[in-house]
Amino acid sequence: MRRLKGQLSLTMALIVLFTVAVISLLSNILIAGEFEKYIGAQQKEKADDMISNFSGQYDGLTEQWNEEYLHGAGMYALYDGYIVKVYDREGAIVWDAENHDMSACHQVMTEISARMKKWRPDMQGAFAAHDYPLTQNEQAVGSLSISYYGPYFLSDSDFRFLGALNTVLVAVGLASLCAALLVSGVLARRIARPIIRTGYIAKQISQGDYSARFEGNTGTLELDELTAAINHLSDRLAGQERMRKQLTADVAHELRTPLTTLSSHLEMMIEGVWEPSAERLQSCYEEIGRLSGLVADLERLEEMEHENLALHKTRVDLMEVVRTVCASFAADFKKKNLSLTVEGGSSILEADRDKLCQVMVNLLSNAVKYTGAHGHIRISVKDGEDHATLTVEDDGIGIPPQELSLIFERLYRTDKSRNRESGGAGIGLAIVKSIALAHGGTVRAESRGEQGSRFIMTLPKL
Ligand code: ADP
């Protein structure tokens, strides 16, 4: 497996190499083409210049050629690679470079041919003579033959110029390559470092160290999101771990009391200190009942917390749920002589009916549990625009203000209820809360001292 840094550097280097190669090739072709056109145009201009200059060297009056000039200009042209011959009107040679300096002409021709063959082997060029008429006032005075390497030829300095251009391109390519390697190295390090660190933190988390966190910013949006997700995961796992420990401790605590009572009662009876009377056996039976109740509650809570994600929503009338559950409590109301008022009208929501029944059962059973004989319970359903509100109110023992936020925690029971026989395991309200949250709703408790409690739940209608 290749490392990120290596991969990034290699990719960037390849891109730069490719780009530089393409640019070099294109510019070489373009520049060479343009340059050759320019040289061709210059050669034409040179020939035109020579024609006009050479035409002017004929004196019509004396019918003489300025041979001194012809010689100077002809030799000058020779060293530029042009072999010149001037003929008079009758076609007799006036001045001929080859006649003057055969060896120089030969040398120029071989040098140019060799140079062009070396640098432009595909060109298949050759020396060729081009004839031009020489005129004065539109009267022919002679002709000029210029022989040069065609279709074009370049001097040593021209080739040096093209060579320098290539060197510059290669240098630019190498410099860009170095810059690309440097930049990709820095970039790869910037990307790789947080990823490596995140991987290390994820490993620590997988080994149970939930305190591991990614500190600081990476400066890259996606990487920041990744590190934030890892930190969030760590928080969540730490929270779950805390809850798990808390729950284990709470359950152990809840189990210990009935188990101690049971075992001490049974021990006394086994050792013959106590008679196993029906009354004592009944008390043992009740303790076992409490234990079973606790186990059943725990099972329900576990079920609720797992099922929260999967609500089976249908159209439900909250008032219908209230009335159904109230009817099932008729016997309990009667036993304690409690009076019940139900207010409000129907309110239709998209919700899980069974879960709403569970909420109602838990709230109403608490109200019954924590309200003394002849107490009063009031239930109201309010149908809002996009929310429904359920209120369950009693005039029972009330909840101390400092405990109002705690009673929704699992296994939390107020001191008041602990002292009462009627108290449960402290799970009912945790279930109510998780159902409310799963529906996107809220639940809270209010209490005015000892004058009773009020539970208010709001649920979105859709
Ligand atoms: P429990 O099974 O103990 O009733 P819950 O989770 O239903 O557990 O309630 C948690 C605690 O909140 C109870 O132990 C009790 O102290 C308090 N509580 C709940 N409902 C009422 C109420 N209507 N009046 C007074 N206290 C209440």
Side-chain angles (χ1 to χ4, degrees):
M1 205 84 83
R2 266 194 258 130
R3 284 181 175 274
L4 179 68
K5 196 176 157 188
Q7 281 192 29
L8 253 173
S9 305
L10 189 73
T11 315
M12 284 213 50
L14 283 178
I15 292 173
V16 168
L17 272 180
F18 179 74
T19 316
V20 169
V22 168
I23 290 177
S24 305
L25 199 75
L26 285 180
S27 53
N28 234 315
I29 292 171
L30 274 176
I31 291 173
E34 285 303 309
F35 188 70
E36 279 154 20
K37 256 192 238 160
Y38 161 77
I39 294 288
Q42 250 203 348
Q43 280 168 349
K44 168 125 194 1
E45 214 172 288
K46 190 143 187 143
D48 289 345
D49 272 358
M50 277 195 267
I51 295 163
S52 74
N53 285 340
F54 279 55
S55 309
Q57 302 312 314
Y58 180 73
D59 187 343
L61 287 178
T62 57
E63 297 195 343
Q64 291 290 308
W65 287 87
N66 180 354
E67 277 191 36
E68 207 178 317
Y69 177 87
L70 294 186
H71 178 69
M75 291 310 282
Y76 189 76
L78 174 64
Y79 293 115
D80 276 351
Y82 301 90
I83 296 158
V84 173
K85 283 187 182 126
V86 183
Y87 300 92
D88 64 12
R89 240 186 320 240
E90 282 74 39
I93 283 190
V94 181
W95 189 86
D96 180 352
E98 279 177 334
N99 280 354
H100 267 276
D101 198 339
M102 185 67 177
S103 67
C105 287
H106 193 70
Q107 195 187 341
V108 165
M109 284 169 76
T110 43
E111 262 177 22
I112 291 178
S113 303
R115 193 192 310 137
M116 291 310 288
K117 288 245 149 48
K118 180 176 170 199
W119 295 109
R120 293 286 185 274
D122 302 333
M123 200 166 94
Q124 292 181 339
F127 269 88
H130 305 265
D131 293 321
Y132 308 94
L134 296 175
T135 55
Q136 256 180 22
N137 304 326
E138 294 173 7
Q139 296 281 308
V141 292
S143 64
L144 175 69
S145 154
I146 308 172
S147 167
Y148 57 86
Y149 193 90
Y152 69 91
F153 69 94
L154 302 177
S155 68
D156 269 336
S157 55
D158 293 335
F159 279 118
R160 267 201 301 279
F161 169 74
L162 287 178
L165 205 70
N166 278 335
T167 316
V168 167
L169 282 173
V170 170
V172 167
L174 283 176
S176 326
L177 190 65
C178 291
L181 285 176
L182 201 79
V183 170
S184 61
V186 173
L187 199 73
R189 179 123 40 93
R190 264 188 58 184
I191 296 174
R193 209 189 283 157
I195 292 180
I196 293 169
R197 177 104 189 97
T198 313
Y200 174 71
I201 289 172
K203 205 165 166 187
Q204 277 182 303
I205 293 173
S206 72
Q207 286 164 358
D209 177 6
Y210 303 132
S211 63
R213 290 284 180 289
F214 191 97
E215 309 283 351
N217 273 340
T218 62
T220 310
L221 181 70
E222 289 80 357
L223 289 177
D224 274 352
E225 280 172 359
L226 174 70
T227 56
I230 288 284
N231 285 350
H232 184 63
L233 175 73
S234 188
D235 283 343
R236 284 293 298 260
L237 286 172
Q240 298 262 338
E241 177 73 0
R242 229 182 1 257
M243 265 164 65
R244 194 180 61 76
K245 284 190 180 147
Q246 181 70 38
L247 186 65
T248 317
D250 288 348
V251 169
H253 177 82
E254 287 299 317
L255 291 176
R256 195 171 300 122
T257 322
L259 280 177
T260 316
T261 319
L262 253 180
S263 73
S264 63
H265 278 37
L266 289 174
E267 201 179 350
M268 299 278 254
M269 286 189 251
I270 291 164
E271 286 179 359
V273 183
W274 277 0
E275 276 288 308
S277 66
E279 203 180 303
R280 285 180 180 137
L281 287 174
Q282 176 66 30
S283 130
C284 287
Y285 180 71
E286 273 166 21
E287 289 300 334
I288 290 174
R290 272 158 74 101
L291 282 173
S292 312
L294 175 65
V295 171
D297 277 353
L298 282 170
E299 270 170 1
R300 254 191 310 141
L301 180 67
E302 207 267 344
E303 200 179 295
M304 288 298 157
E305 293 191 337
H306 266 95
E307 275 186 15
N308 271 348
L309 292 173
L311 291 175
H312 305 293
K313 287 191 179 180
T314 50
R315 276 169 70 83
V316 184
D317 182 357
L318 188 57
M319 185 50 110
E320 186 268 322
V321 170
V322 168
R323 290 199 190 284
T324 311
V325 175
C326 284
S328 70
F329 272 82
D332 301 86
F333 291 136
K334 204 163 177 197
K335 220 193 279 174
K336 283 181 101 173
N337 258 322
L338 300 172
S339 60
L340 171 75
T341 333
V342 178
E343 290 168 6
S346 82
S347 177
I348 312 289
L349 352 155
E350 280 289 316
D352 187 321
R353 189 176 186 281
D354 289 347
K355 301 262 168 20
L356 289 192
C357 285
Q358 179 75 61
V359 165
M360 209 39 229
V361 166
N362 290 7
L363 292 179
L364 204 54
S365 69
N366 277 352
V368 171
K369 250 192 288 185
Y370 302 113
T371 306
H374 305 288
H376 184 73
I377 295 170
R378 196 177 72 89
I379 300 172
S380 87
V381 172
K382 215 188 271 168
D383 185 40
E385 199 167 298
D386 46 25
H387 279 82
T389 311
L390 169 73
T391 312
V392 178
E393 204 175 341
D394 63 58
D395 55 0
I397 61 169
I399 303 160
Q402 69 276 13
E403 290 181 287
L404 279 174
S405 58
L406 300 172
I407 52 172
F408 293 98
E409 299 282 319
R410 298 192 280 204
L411 300 171
Y412 190 86
R413 291 159 65 191
T414 65
D415 285 341
K416 277 186 182 179
S417 68
R418 272 179 206 283
N419 297 336
R420 292 164 61 97
E421 278 300 299
S422 53
I427 282 171
L429 288 180
I431 291 174
V432 168
K433 186 180 169 186
S434 64
I435 293 175
L437 291 183
H439 279 86
T442 57
V443 61
R444 66 192 157 87
E446 291 175 357
S447 178
R448 277 175 295 119
E450 313 237 316
Q451 292 168 11
S453 327
R454 181 188 294 150
F455 289 84
I456 303 137
M457 182 165 86
T458 55
L459 291 170
K461 292 171 86 169
L462 280 177

